[in-house]
């Protein structure tokens, strides 16, 4: 690693702050650069200077900003041309892009245009023992193996980085960094792609890689009906559903729920993994998980080697009993919500159900919009509940509890 190492990160600011992949790549770039290099975010867009300051607060030491009305929409041919020109002009040693669908398409085009190698879906990036050559790990042969990737001397070394694999740096409002505006003469003729319309798809749930609680199922659930217990448990705990490759291949759930080297890398605070043996392509994506609870009938299953708590038993026998316990606990919390008394200091004060919901929200320092997003309801619904104008369904109370 040279003293003037230059690492670039592509600033994919679509759906910020929900999509954290660029911030995770930025955090790893700073870890690679140490105190000898500089990390630069390349930001293309229109009226996005505020986003440039956000990247600095998350660790960017410099932002190259190309601001133009023609860059308001993501168009892969235009972005490929601009980024390739900037790379040829500044010649960074490393260029990293989050492995979103757009990022993968963009990275492959840039690598082809520059004639350099590209590591796809990197799950690790590190220097060799001498700190001179960068290497990466990437899934190979359908995720059965991890391939060790090294680059030739042709620069930059390019990689798309799997979301969820690296931690982002803490937000520092007082962080100092340089914003460099780059002027480009662009027109309608600069791109052959014409955007007719763009509609953002609403999301009712947290992305799997961002979820704090994940309930995952594998082959041990035996059939789609068994996998439904995973969905029910995830719903009761306010978490997201995950799956191993066999569950996805058997169409028990969608590919969006796949956890593993060819799927999502997750970092939940709690992971409950049921009927999963613990194959390396699955466990490699769990490295950042907090508490892991594993359920498997084989006491020698590899999953128990990484689990904090293990249950040896048949998953299909364990889950119904566990679900009953969870429901009992949640219904007790719901009953407490309906109680008409609440303690305020030494006194007890009668409150309505709606007032209790409002106080619960305020105690957790949540806005109406935040509570609406977490419970999957519109803000108007929350307002009606808090004003006692509407009695909420049980599903809302389960989400609330």
């Amino acid at each position: 690693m040279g003293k003037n190492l230059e690492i670039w990160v592509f600033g994919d600011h679509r759906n910020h702050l929900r999509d954290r992949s660029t911030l995770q790549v930025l955090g790893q770039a700073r870890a690679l650069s140490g105190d000898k290099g500089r990390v630069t975010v390349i930001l293309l867009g229109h009226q996005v200077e505020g986003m440039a300051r956000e990247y600095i607060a998350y660790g960017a030491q410099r932002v190259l900003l190309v601001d133009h009305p023609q860059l308001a929409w993501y168009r892969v041919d235009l972005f490929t041309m601009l980024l390739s020109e900037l790379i040829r002009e500044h010649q960074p040693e490393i260029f990293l892009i989050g492995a979103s669908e757009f990022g993968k398409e963009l990275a492959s085009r840039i690598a082809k245009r520059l004639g350099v190698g590209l590591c796809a879906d990197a799950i690790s990036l590190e220097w060799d023992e001498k700190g001179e050559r960068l290497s990466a790990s990437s899934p190979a042969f359908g995720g059965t193996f991890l391939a060790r990737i090294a680059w030739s001397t042709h620069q930059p070394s390019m990689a798309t980085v799997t979301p969820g694999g690296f931690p982002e740096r803490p937000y520092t409002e007082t962080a100092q960094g340089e914003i460099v505006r780059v002027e480009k003469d662009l027109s309608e003729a600069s791109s052959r792609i014409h955007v007719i319309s763009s509609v953002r798809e609403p999301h009712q749930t947290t992305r799997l890689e961002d979820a704090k609680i994940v309930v995952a199922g594998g082959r041990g659930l035996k059939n789609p009906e068994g996998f439904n217990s995973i969905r029910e448990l995830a719903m009761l705990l306010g978490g997201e559903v995950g799956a191993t490759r066999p569950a996805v291949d058997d169409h028990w759930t969608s590919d969006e729920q796949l956890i593993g080297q060819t799927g999502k890398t997750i970092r939940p605070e709690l992971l409950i993994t049921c009927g999963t043996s613990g194959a390396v392509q699955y466990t490699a994506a769990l490295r950042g998980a907090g508490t892991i609870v594993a359920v498997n009938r084989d006491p020698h299953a590899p999953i128990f080697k990484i689990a904090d708590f293990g249950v040896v038993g048949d998953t299909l026998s364990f889950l119904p009993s566990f679900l009953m316990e969870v429901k009992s606990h949640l219904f007790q919390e719901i009953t407490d919500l309906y109680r008409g008394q609440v303690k305020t200091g030494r006194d007890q004060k009668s409150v309505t159900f709606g007032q209790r919901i409002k106080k619960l929200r305020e105690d957790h320092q949540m806005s109406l919009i935040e509570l609406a997003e977490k419970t999957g309801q519109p803000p108007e619904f929350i307002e009606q509940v808090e004003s006692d104008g509407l009695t909420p369904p049980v599903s809302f109370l389960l989400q609330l509890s």
Side-chain angles (χ1 to χ4, degrees):
M1 178 170 61
K3 293 184 178 180
N4 298 316
L5 175 71
E6 185 76 27
I7 301 178
W8 281 17
V9 173
F10 172 63
D12 187 349
H13 55 88
R14 298 172 301 164
N15 208 16
H16 183 78
L17 292 160
R18 182 180 176 85
D19 188 343
R20 317 291 293 188
S21 60
T22 295
L23 304 181
Q24 295 163 6
V25 177
L26 181 54
Q28 182 61 15
R30 283 297 304 269
L32 288 172
S33 68
D35 56 0
K36 296 182 179 180
R38 179 173 65 178
V39 174
T40 297
V41 170
I42 311 305
L43 180 58
L44 311 181
H46 182 48
Q47 298 178 343
V48 289
E49 187 168 338
M51 195 67 250
R53 290 192 290 269
E54 282 284 296
Y55 285 138
I56 290 173
Y58 278 104
Q61 293 155 305
R62 183 177 67 151
V63 176
L64 289 185
L65 172 60
V66 184
D67 195 310
H68 195 281
Q70 289 296 322
L71 300 175
W73 305 106
Y74 276 70
R75 290 181 285 184
V76 70
D77 59 344
L78 184 55
F79 277 53
T80 298
M81 178 192 72
L82 289 174
L83 289 168
S84 299
E85 287 179 358
L86 289 169
I87 290 171
R88 288 194 180 103
E89 180 180 349
H90 295 270
Q91 298 186 343
E93 283 81 8
I94 299 170
F95 184 36
L96 305 176
I97 300 177
S100 63
E101 293 302 315
F102 181 81
K104 293 176 182 179
E105 182 182 17
L106 182 64
S108 59
R109 287 170 175 257
I110 294 172
K112 172 64 176 177
R113 187 165 293 196
L114 298 176
V116 299
L118 171 66
C119 171
D121 298 310
I123 63 172
S124 74
L125 292 161
E126 56 193 15
W127 298 106
D128 62 14
E129 294 179 356
K130 297 181 180 179
E132 295 176 353
R133 295 196 65 182
L134 183 68
S135 63
S137 295
S138 179
F141 298 101
T144 306
F145 298 97
L146 274 180
R148 199 67 175 163
I149 307 296
W151 285 266
S152 69
T153 55
H154 297 290
Q155 293 180 336
S157 301
M158 287 186 60
T160 57
V161 181
T162 300
F166 301 102
E168 59 188 67
R169 290 170 64 91
Y171 182 89
T172 305
E173 191 172 358
T174 57
Q176 299 296 311
E178 180 184 14
I179 299 177
V180 180
R181 288 184 171 273
V182 179
E183 299 297 329
K184 291 291 182 178
D185 184 18
L186 303 175
S187 65
E188 285 287 348
S190 301
S191 174
R192 299 177 64 182
I193 298 173
H194 299 283
V195 180
I196 298 173
S197 66
S198 177
V199 178
R200 178 166 293 176
E201 181 179 351
H203 292 272
Q204 298 297 326
T205 57
T206 304
R207 296 193 320 155
L208 180 60
E209 53 267 45
D210 296 331
K212 293 184 178 181
I213 299 174
V214 173
V215 183
R219 193 192 304 274
L221 292 161
K222 300 189 185 306
N223 52 50
E225 290 73 26
F227 198 86
N228 283 338
S229 297
I230 296 296
R231 294 189 178 92
E232 185 177 3
L233 181 57
M235 185 274 291
L236 292 172
L237 297 179
E240 294 299 314
V241 174
T244 59
R245 172 59 68 182
V248 172
D249 287 347
D250 287 345
H251 307 292
W252 300 347
T253 188
S254 72
D255 192 66
E256 287 295 310
Q257 270 64 57
L258 177 62
I259 299 171
Q261 293 170 359
T262 55
K264 306 289 179 62
T265 298
I266 61 173
R267 307 174 63 88
E269 296 176 4
L270 171 64
L271 168 65
I272 301 176
T273 178
C274 305
T276 58
S277 62
V280 63
Q281 55 264 39
Y282 174 63
T283 57
L286 311 179
R287 294 180 303 167
T291 301
I292 299 178
V293 180
V295 183
N296 196 292
R297 65 181 180 181
D298 180 5
H300 304 294
I303 192 66
F304 289 125
K305 294 180 180 180
I306 66 168
D308 299 286
F309 300 95
V311 178
V312 178
D314 180 62
T315 302
L316 294 178
S317 300
F318 168 80
L319 279 176
S321 300
F322 187 55
L323 283 167
M324 288 182 62
E325 288 295 323
V326 173
K327 288 177 182 178
S328 175
H329 177 76
L330 289 176
F331 283 129
Q332 182 60 53
E333 290 192 359
I334 292 171
T335 302
D336 291 342
L337 283 173
Y338 273 110
R339 289 175 180 170
Q341 301 287 325
V342 61
K343 291 183 178 181
T344 56
R346 295 182 178 180
D347 302 323
Q348 284 194 332
K349 180 182 178 181
S350 296
V351 296
T352 66
F353 175 71
Q355 289 171 333
R356 189 172 182 85
I357 296 296
K358 183 176 181 180
K359 184 177 186 302
L360 186 67
R361 172 176 62 80
E362 291 174 344
D363 287 346
H364 286 78
Q365 298 181 337
M366 295 172 63
S367 67
L368 273 170
I369 294 176
E370 288 173 328
L371 181 58
E373 289 179 347
K374 288 183 180 294
T375 56
Q377 301 289 344
E380 295 78 14
F381 175 89
I382 306 298
E383 286 182 335
Q384 285 185 292
V385 170
E386 291 186 354
S387 64
D388 293 301
L390 177 69
T391 300
V394 173
S395 59
F396 169 78
L397 298 174
L398 286 171
Q399 289 285 354
L400 187 67
S401 64

